[in-house]
Amino acid sequence: MNNLSLYILDIVQNSINAKCDTVNLELTINNDLRLITIIIIDNGKGIKEEDLDKIFDPFYTSNPNKKIGLGLSLFKELCDLCDGDLNITSKPNVGTKVEAHLSLDSLDLPPIGDISDTVCSIILNDSDVDVNFKYIIDNKTFYVSPIEIKKVLGEIAINQPNIIAWLKKYISEGIKSLEYN
């Protein structure tokens, strides 16, 4: 995977596959600490305690339709390469928290990628899952919630072409406003 947004997409897809109805995604860039923090919290089925030791094994997956589960093992390897760490906590029938830290100064740190397009795709991918997205640069925050958007839209479906175009632009401009202010 050549950018962080693809790792995020993979982990959020794991959350959706775990039958969650809410995912909270937070991406924080702290320039003072020279650190990127990615936190993904879901309220899915969780991971059994005996399986937590296996989740970074590329040949382990809880998905019966797959033979391997490379996403978490690759993300852990990236975090290690970037002088960071990847921690996962989970409780069955409660949910899972994935927290990653990566050094902004690491030569191995890939670009963030098109996070606005990734988040928009996640929101539109499964309308039954509410994906709340918070992007923080230092002390400035941009937040988007599909619940709030759906309230404003009322009867209008979020997957209408003009709504999709607006959502992509809204997220992109919200992120850019943090970077340039």
Side-chain angles (χ1 to χ4, degrees):
M1 290 188 245
N2 60 2
N3 63 63
L4 291 176
S5 65
L6 295 176
Y7 289 94
I8 291 168
L9 180 63
D10 182 69
I11 293 169
V12 171
Q13 192 59 53
N14 288 348
S15 295
I16 292 169
N17 291 342
K19 307 295 184 212
C20 70
D21 56 28
T22 303
V23 176
N24 294 309
L25 166 58
E26 184 176 301
L27 175 60
T28 303
I29 299 172
N30 186 318
N31 286 302
D32 290 338
L33 297 176
R34 306 297 302 148
L35 188 69
I36 292 179
T37 302
I38 299 167
I39 300 173
I40 301 168
I41 301 171
D42 71 51
N43 65 347
K45 65 182 180 181
I47 303 167
K48 293 182 251 175
E49 189 173 339
E50 61 267 20
D51 291 338
L52 278 172
D53 293 338
K54 303 174 196 172
I55 58 176
F56 297 121
D57 180 342
F59 301 105
Y60 171 79
T61 179
S62 61
N63 186 335
N65 299 321
K66 293 170 61 177
K67 295 188 188 282
I68 57 174
L70 292 173
L72 286 173
S73 61
L74 291 173
F75 195 34
K76 178 162 180 29
E77 182 179 344
L78 176 67
C79 291
D80 292 343
L81 284 170
C82 294
D83 302 318
D85 56 40
L86 177 61
N87 300 299
I88 298 179
T89 55
S90 187
K91 287 189 177 182
N93 303 313
V94 175
T96 301
K97 177 181 180 181
V98 176
E99 184 167 352
H101 302 100
L102 303 103
S103 171
L104 281 170
D105 297 323
S106 173
L107 297 176
D108 293 310
L109 182 68
I112 291 173
D114 192 347
I115 194 69
S116 58
D117 196 46
T118 299
V119 170
C120 190
S121 296
I122 293 167
I123 289 172
L124 296 169
N125 179 44
D126 192 327
S127 60
D128 294 334
V129 177
D130 291 314
V131 180
N132 303 301
F133 174 60
K134 187 185 291 186
Y135 193 94
I136 303 166
I137 297 179
D138 299 320
N139 294 321
K140 300 170 285 189
T141 301
F142 169 73
Y143 177 76
V144 63
S145 166
I147 293 173
E148 297 301 318
I149 293 169
K150 289 173 187 174
K151 281 182 190 175
V152 172
L153 292 175
E155 297 292 319
I156 302 170
I158 197 168
N159 62 356
Q160 297 291 319
N162 58 334
I163 302 300
I164 294 170
W166 171 84
L167 183 59
K168 285 182 181 182
K169 183 177 179 187
Y170 176 71
I171 295 170
S172 180
E173 288 177 355
I175 290 170
K176 285 179 185 168
S177 74
L178 301 179
E179 294 170 347
Y180 299 112
N181 286 331

